[in-house]
Amino acid sequence: TNQALGTIEAATLVPWVPPYLKDCLIIIVDPRPNSADLRQSIQYIGSLVNKEPKEEEDNSQRTIQDQVIFVTADSTKEMQAWLKRSKTESPMQIFSDPDLAWMNQYKATEGWCMSMLTFDTDGNVVENNANIQPSSVTQLVLDTLEIM
């Protein structure tokens, strides 16, 4: 979609958008409740950020944590329960959209699958990758951050 997130809406969604967003904002979203794909992706990206950084990787890992967020259809309570049950200690920001209002606004419910939306620093959607798989999400995020 060409609909801009806008500064006010972006700041509402993620408090550090602008002036702190340097290149882009990547939002991995899944409208399906209790999505195994989204949960696995949270673990994959979280483990990438959690791994012991080498000096040259330190900046890219900081970028991932700062510029990648997840939006789930689960309630906050359900997501917290899953994080505890699965012993997932993810440093990633996870937002809840149980009524799918935000997802519908950005057409992230089309196809009823996990998607990756990339916003530029002006809040415009520059890329919408639908039907992404957990096994490819880490590389897709790294490639997008490299391009942006």
Side-chain angles (χ1 to χ4, degrees), residues 29-32 97 99-113 115 128:
V29 57
D30 198 325
R32 299 170 295 180
D97 185 22
D99 62 358
L100 307 181
W102 188 88
M103 291 186 219
N104 282 324
Q105 183 176 356
Y106 290 95
K107 300 185 181 356
T109 55
E110 292 179 2
W112 206 249
C113 58
S115 302
N128 183 349

Side-chain angles (χ1 to χ4, degrees), residues 129-144:
N129 295 308
N131 201 23
I132 61 171
Q133 300 301 313
S135 59
S136 63
V137 74
T138 301
Q139 192 60 51
L140 189 57
V141 164
L142 291 172
D143 291 347
T144 300

Side-chain angles (χ1 to χ4, degrees), residues 44-63:
Y44 286 163
I45 298 293
S47 68
L48 179 67
V49 173
N50 280 335
K51 78 176 185 170
E52 190 65 31
K54 296 177 185 166
E55 271 188 50
E56 65 271 6
E57 291 179 353
D58 192 45
N59 190 37
S60 67
Q61 290 176 353
R62 184 79 234 160
T63 300

Side-chain angles (χ1 to χ4, degrees), residues 81-98:
W82 171 76
L83 288 166
K84 186 175 181 177
R85 270 191 322 269
S86 66
K87 296 180 172 76
T88 299
E89 294 183 22
S90 178
M92 307 307 298
Q93 295 287 325
I94 305 169
F95 292 86
S96 182
D97 185 22

Side-chain angles (χ1 to χ4, degrees), residues 8-25:
I8 300 298
E9 288 182 29
T12 301
L13 178 64
V14 274
W16 59 85
V17 173
Y20 306 108
L21 186 63
K22 292 180 181 155
D23 301 312
C24 67
L25 176 65

